[in-house]
Amino acid sequence: MGKVLSVTEAVNVLLQGQIVGLPTETVYGLGADATNETAIAKVFKAKNRPSFDPLIVHVSTLAAVKEIAELSEAAEQLFLAFSPGPLTVVLPKKKTIPDLVTSGHPTVAVRIPAHPVMLEVLQSSGLCIAAPSANPFGFASPTTAFHVLDQLGTKISGVVDGGPCSVGIESTIVDMSSDVPKVLRL
Ligand code: AMP
Ligand code: MG
């Protein structure tokens, strides 16, 4: 049964392949180790999310972006201008990210979020964290820890309470995986 977790507790749970609600500046995410297929499968199951809907992977540094994706010069400029923040960039993926995360696409969506609690979880776990919004498929994205427990509490290990989300809507997504940049979500 889900409850409010400290950062240390959330990191331990993530390292054990469990799933937890995590605050970001956009909305609360349902986080899992992006390299652990069993953990990723739990995210799809808890959300009742169709397997063809790929997840965004969260990292805390540009160096970490390069570990999971091919970073072009133009994409790097985009990260330098808008990250950490509510910008997700789609890039050619490296093998470290399982196909389950990207729904079989050869690309991966990556974001460096700006929320201090999420950054602390990323840094102290050393993980890349796949985190779609922490709501059942088809429901509104949660912007408080209470919303997360209310909607998914019985299906997750818990949630880290980072306060209400300052942005409150999903990140902008730009596809930089080919020569022409494409805005996929405003
Ligand atoms: P969210 O539901 O906010 O976690 O955002 C996930 C959305 O990001 C998906 O529904 C897709 O629209 C988009 N997305 C994630 N990965 C990719 C990808 N590899 N290529 C294109 N769009 C992606
Ligand atoms: Mg969503």
Side-chain angles (χ1 to χ4, degrees):
M1 177 65 191
K3 53 181 178 152
V4 174
L5 303 174
S6 68
V7 166
T8 309
E9 288 170 327
V11 166
N12 287 336
V13 163
L14 286 165
L15 290 171
Q16 288 161 16
Q18 305 298 330
I19 58 177
V20 287
L22 297 168
T24 82
E25 77 280 23
T26 57
V27 301
Y28 272 73
L30 178 56
D33 175 355
T35 62
N36 180 335
E37 287 194 66
T38 312
I40 296 302
K42 289 177 189 167
V43 170
F44 280 99
K45 184 157 182 241
K47 278 183 60 85
N48 201 18
R49 185 180 177 105
S51 59
F52 56 77
D53 195 358
L55 308 182
I56 293 173
V57 178
H58 299 72
V59 297
S60 63
T61 62
L62 259 186
V65 175
K66 290 178 191 165
E67 280 170 26
I68 63 171
E70 305 289 347
L71 189 63
S72 65
E73 177 65 32
E76 183 161 350
Q77 291 301 320
L78 208 53
F79 273 108
L80 290 173
F82 294 107
S83 296
L87 172 75
T88 297
V89 183
V90 173
L91 299 167
K93 89 173 192 70
K94 289 189 175 170
K95 285 203 197 85
T96 40
I97 298 300
D99 289 338
L100 197 56
V101 171
T102 66
S103 302
H105 290 283
T107 52
V108 61
V110 192
R111 178 157 85 95
I112 304 177
H115 198 292
V117 172
M118 183 63 163
L119 288 171
E120 202 183 332
V121 172
L122 287 163
Q123 278 153 17
S124 58
S125 67
L127 296 172
C128 301
I129 299 179
S133 52
N135 52 279
F137 187 70
F139 285 69
S141 299
T143 54
T144 66
F146 173 79
H147 289 160
V148 177
L149 290 180
D150 192 37
Q151 298 192 106
L152 287 177
T154 59
K155 299 181 171 169
I156 63 179
S157 297
V159 62
V160 182
D161 190 351
C165 302
S166 59
V167 175
I169 54 169
E170 281 82 357
S171 60
T172 298
I173 304 179
V174 182
D175 185 352
M176 297 294 287
S177 66
S178 61
D179 291 344
V180 184
K182 222 180 297 164
V183 176
L184 301 182
R185 183 166 75 188
L186 290 174

